[in-house]
Structure formats: structure tokens, C-alpha cells
Amino acid sequence: MMVHRKKKPALVIVAVLTLLCIAPTLAVNAKQERKLRFRQNGEFKILQVADMHFANGKTTPCLDVLPSQVAGCSDLNTTAFINRMISAEKPDLIVFTGDNIFGFDATDAAKSLNAAFAPAIASNIPWVAVLGNHDQESTLSREGVMKHIVTLKNTLSQVNPSDAHIIDGFGNYNLEIGGVKGSGFENKSVLNLYFLDSGDYSTVPSVPGYGWIKPSQQFWFEQTSARLQRAYMSKPAAQKAPAPGLVYFHIPLPEFAYFDQSNFTGVRQEGISSASVNSGFFTTMVAAGDVKAVFTGHDHVNDFCGRLTGIQLCYGGGFGYHAYGKAGWERRARVVVASLEKTEKRGWGDVKSIKTWKRLDDEHLTGVDGHVLWSKTSSGNLRLCMVNKMDLQPISAFLSVF
């Protein structure tokens, strides 16, 4: 007796193949449709997490903590800190600025990445990440790490911009933050965020040290900034000046070394570990005219912000417990809040000010170093004098007047 196997109709096969081909595109489009915009209270809050250095979870020991903290201290302390920060601040976006995992000690890169980002994933808050110099030192290449990140739930990260055919690195992209829904700025991006891959180590034999932002990336940034400025300053609701921009990457620029103890807010407790060559990206940002602040990680026990040629250069401060630090100097995270101007007719206008503070991973999540990074009326030259440590509620209340 002959058994006849049922043949799959050709149309079914074509449909399956078509679905497989378009699935990545559908995923990208779904992410793009998740529009970020300011809250109805006129604020947009960003939590920066720098240098988690996550490895294998509870078996990974903490570094540079007090003797009383050693027992039971692990990557799980980093996870607990993120959860505390999310609960306390309720940010609109979480930004991980590189060295998300410490590759040398991570047995399985994908599992470590999943665990490192788990609090952000569980929170259902949009989040993004850029790469540091240690993310690719485990079982995934640098490209592989970024390709894995973009598959995770709730992330708006991108491997690279779709309109950039040739660009160095992995994880160069931007996000547009729309105005309050129902306001005159509803269809405008009133705050622009740029994310770049600052590399890991130099690939030029004659140049030692860390990587840097390459000309192809700077060209993409220039083109993107110019496009966003044209849109913002064109009808409808044409504006006279560009929307403010914030830039995030891992390795600090050489210009971070231009500050001394008298002209920044925060602390500088180690050297500036920038590339040994100056890529010119700071000059590129100044020329673009829209960037108000830059946020990096890499140097864990630096957490200062300093203003240079109209741009604030800021460290996030070391976050992770499997990262080098300083015993007795608490791990910390940076918060940035952009606030819109209140208008009589349409409710909310454009960005009025951008403020920042840090929270320490102590008993009270103490807030420190609250100050204004940029203000529309002062071009960012505001600085608030405060005691070194204080409860965060007074900071929020004090900053709300600007």
C-alpha cells in the first residue's frame, strides 16, 4: 500500500518565507512606533546607569567595598540598586552607557546581558544601551552583543541607523522626544538624544589606548543634527533656535581633562581615561549648535559635570558592584530631567531647562549635587550651591523654580 504524503501548498511556503523575511522589519517598525514624549506635567526624566560590569550573578564577587559589605555582595547588589532607582525615580527612559557586562568574567555573554538588563525589561520602561570597552570580551563579538541587545523586550536600542550605509561601530542611533500630547509641540521633537559607539581599543598599531568616535560617526551625527534642526525650525510652529540635544557614549573625550576642582560639580578622583588622540568630536558638537550636555561612564570614581564652550561634560559615576570603585564611596546613578516651559494658550511649550542630580546606593538613596545643566534664559550658565549631601525631595522642590 502506497502512502501519499500531503504536499504543502506553494502559497503556504511562500507565506512562511515572506513572514520570516519581514519579521525583523516588523520588529524595528514596532519599536519606532513607540513614541517617546514628555509627560502631561511637562517633564521627561532619564536615568543613566554607567558601568554595571555584570558577570555571572550571585557567584560574582563585589570589588572595592568596605569589609563589612564583602559577605554576600555580588552582581545581585547591582540588580537591587537598579530596582531601587527605578522605583524611586520612575524614569521615562533608562540609558545604559557601556561596560554593561564585564566580558572577561562573564561565562555566557547572552545570559549576562539578559540578567544585567532584567530590571529595565521587567519595569516596562523604554531603555537603550551603548557599548563600552568590556562588553565584547566574553562569548559574543561587539556586533553580536549589540545584535543581542536589540532583541530584548522594551529596548529602543538600534545596531546602527538604517540610513547610514557606512558607519563605524555598533550602536549609533538617535531618539526624538515629542512634546506633550495635545500641545502645540505635539508633533515636534523638543528634545533630541544621540547615542554613539565610542569603541573599545585603538585599532591603529601606532596609536595606543582606547578607541574614539570615528569620522563616519561624526558625519552621521552632523547630518542627523542638521535634519532635526531643520524640522524643528520649519512650519508648523517654526522655532527660532534648535531643540536641545543630549549625547550618550562610554569613553570620555579628552576635553573632560580641561576642568579643575573650581569649575565643576561633583568629584574627580582619577585621571581622564580618554583616547590618546583627539577625534575632534567635541568641536563637531559645538559646531552643530544643539548639544547641551554629554554623558559618559568609563572612569568609575569620577562623577562630575563641567561646562565647556556651552556644553556640559558629565560622568555618570560608577554603578556596578563588580566594577572597580572606592570603598566607602557609594555606587551611584545620574538622573536628568528636562522641563518644558508653561504657556498660557497651549499648555506646554519647548524645553525651558535641563537639570541633574545623582542618587547614592545608601540607606536613603541620598541625592547629591543637584544643579541646572542648561536653561533657555541663561544658556546653561546656572549653577546651584548646595551642601554635599541632602535629601532628594528638597532638591526637586528647589530645582522646580527654574
Side-chain angles (χ1 to χ4, degrees):
M1 178 174 151
M2 185 179 292
V3 177
H4 296 281
R5 294 182 180 175
K6 183 181 276 189
K7 295 181 180 179
K8 290 186 178 180
L11 287 177
V12 175
I13 296 174
V14 170
V16 172
L17 291 175
T18 302
L19 182 60
L20 290 174
C21 290
I22 68 172
T25 303
L26 292 174
V28 171
N29 290 340
K31 288 182 180 181
Q32 292 173 344
E33 288 173 0
R34 188 168 185 178
K35 176 69 175 177
L36 295 177
R37 62 173 63 256
F38 277 70
R39 302 176 190 174
Q40 288 296 319
N41 67 355
E43 291 187 346
F44 189 86
K45 182 182 289 187
I46 302 170
L47 169 63
Q48 180 190 2
V49 177
D51 299 272
M52 287 191 292
H53 278 234
F54 204 95
N56 295 318
K58 65 180 180 181
T59 62
T60 303
C62 295
L63 303 179
D64 296 330
V65 294
L66 295 171
S68 60
Q69 297 174 297
V70 171
C73 190
S74 71
D75 281 333
L76 300 187
N77 289 63
T78 303
T79 299
F81 186 22
I82 299 177
N83 283 323
R84 293 181 75 201
M85 286 299 303
I86 291 173
S87 177
E89 292 290 358
K90 298 176 177 58
D92 300 291
L93 180 69
I94 305 168
V95 178
F96 296 92
T97 51
D99 282 1
N100 308 294
I101 63 172
F102 187 65
F104 281 129
D105 291 339
T107 305
D108 184 312
K111 288 183 178 180
S112 292
L113 289 165
N114 294 348
F117 297 126
I121 293 169
S123 73
N124 207 34
I125 294 171
W127 62 275
V128 293
V130 294
L131 302 182
N133 53 293
H134 290 302
D135 289 291
Q136 78 291 339
E137 294 168 341
S138 181
T139 55
L140 289 174
S141 66
R142 196 167 183 81
E143 180 179 12
V145 169
M146 203 65 211
K147 284 186 173 179
H148 181 78
I149 287 173
V150 302
T151 67
L152 300 177
K153 184 182 176 183
N154 296 326
T155 190
L156 299 178
S157 305
Q158 298 175 38
V159 175
N160 269 328
S162 58
D163 57 347
H165 301 294
I166 300 175
I167 190 167
D168 287 279
F170 304 99
N172 304 286
Y173 53 100
N174 70 289
L175 292 177
E176 302 174 23
I177 315 301
V180 172
K181 192 171 182 62
S183 73
F185 287 82
E186 177 179 355
N187 298 316
K188 292 277 189 181
S189 177
V190 297
L191 180 67
N192 296 309
L193 309 182
Y194 304 94
F195 306 92
L196 294 105
D197 181 3
S198 54
D200 48 9
Y201 301 96
S202 170
T203 56
V204 181
S206 59
V207 179
Y210 293 108
W212 57 88
I213 295 171
K214 306 297 196 305
S216 64
Q217 298 167 276
Q218 297 189 43
F219 178 74
W220 166 79
F221 164 79
E222 289 176 313
Q223 295 297 304
T224 304
S225 172
R227 172 179 59 80
L228 292 170
Q229 291 187 45
R230 284 194 302 271
Y232 192 68
M233 299 169 73
S234 299
K235 295 180 179 179
Q239 300 301 299
K240 295 180 179 179
L246 306 179
V247 183
Y248 290 85
F249 50 88
H250 181 70
I251 298 174
L253 302 171
E255 284 80 6
F256 275 69
Y258 288 12
F259 303 104
D260 58 37
Q261 298 294 334
S262 67
N263 59 359
F264 61 68
T265 301
V267 298
R268 175 178 173 178
Q269 302 178 114
E270 62 179 310
I272 309 302
S273 300
S274 61
S276 58
V277 296
N278 193 320
S279 69
F281 186 50
F282 181 77
T283 303
T284 297
M285 290 187 290
V286 171
D290 63 332
V291 175
K292 306 307 177 188
V294 172
F295 303 93
T296 69
H298 194 53
D299 298 326
H300 304 176
V301 294
N302 290 340
D303 73 349
F304 66 81
C305 283
R307 184 169 178 262
L308 182 66
T309 322
I311 297 178
Q312 293 275 355
L313 301 179
C314 298
Y315 279 106
F319 191 100
Y321 278 85
H322 187 56
Y324 79 83
K326 184 177 180 181
W329 193 73
E330 295 92 343
R331 266 59 174 185
R332 58 203 58 213
R334 180 172 293 282
V335 179
V336 171
V337 175
S339 301
L340 301 178
E341 189 167 35
K342 188 74 173 176
T343 62
E344 292 182 3
K345 295 182 179 180
R346 297 189 177 184
W348 294 108
D350 59 349
V351 176
K352 176 182 66 173
S353 66
I354 301 172
K355 301 162 283 190
T356 189
W357 59 82
K358 290 161 295 189
R359 287 247 207 184
L360 310 183
D361 192 21
D362 59 12
E363 182 181 358
H364 303 290
L365 283 179
T366 304
V368 299
D369 297 333
H371 65 289
V372 176
L373 291 171
W374 174 82
S375 169
K376 186 168 66 171
T377 57
S378 66
S379 297
N381 201 28
L382 275 174
R383 185 169 171 183
L384 306 182
C385 298
M386 297 184 178
V387 296
N388 187 45
K389 290 190 177 183
M390 69 293 285
D391 180 76
L392 191 63
Q393 184 59 37
I395 295 181
S396 300
F398 191 68
L399 289 174
S400 65
V401 301
F402 291 94

